[in-house]
Amino acid sequence: MASSSPSQPDLQLQLQPETESQMSSIVYEISQEVQGAMENMLKMMSEIDENSAGITEEIEKCKEQSLEKKRGLEEAKEQVEKAAYAVLEMLNNRA
């Protein structure tokens, strides 16, 4: 009573390698996509690190410049105060 079509267990055995092959192919494709995405993320992280280092450097330069300007303004303030006190003293001595 052999029929020309394969029995159920034989059919499952034939489909199993094909299914495994398809699954392996899908897993491989997904892993390639994930790897590509991770490489892109690493590139972006590297660019972010470079940009943040440049920004940090600029911030430090700006801090230094602002401190220099503050010192200059404090010196100018002291000179103006000294001059104002000298003028007031001169005016008081005339009176």
Side-chain angles (χ1 to χ4, degrees):
M1 287 200 49
S3 67
S4 59
S5 65
S7 67
Q8 188 68 19
D10 289 340
L11 184 60
Q12 286 177 346
L13 286 176
Q14 288 174 354
L15 290 177
Q16 192 172 16
E18 185 178 320
T19 304
E20 285 180 11
S21 174
Q22 289 173 344
M23 293 294 283
S24 293
S25 177
I26 290 170
V27 168
Y28 177 77
E29 287 175 24
I30 291 172
S31 68
Q32 291 299 309
E33 288 179 22
V34 169
Q35 183 177 356
M38 290 180 68
E39 287 173 0
N40 288 337
M41 286 174 31
L42 287 173
K43 286 178 188 175
M44 287 190 299
M45 288 172 59
S46 176
E47 290 173 7
I48 289 169
D49 286 344
E50 288 174 17
N51 290 337
S52 67
I55 290 169
T56 302
E57 186 178 316
E58 286 296 317
I59 289 171
E60 289 302 317
K61 286 180 185 177
C62 289
K63 280 182 184 180
E64 290 173 14
Q65 290 173 351
S66 66
L67 287 174
E68 288 176 20
K69 287 180 182 179
K70 181 180 177 184
R71 282 187 223 113
L73 289 173
E74 286 174 353
E75 289 175 12
K77 177 185 168 188
E78 288 176 15
Q79 291 175 355
V80 169
E81 285 177 350
K82 285 180 184 178
Y85 284 126
V87 169
L88 287 173
E89 193 174 314
M90 287 173 51
L91 291 174
N92 282 338
N93 288 337
R94 283 189 182 173

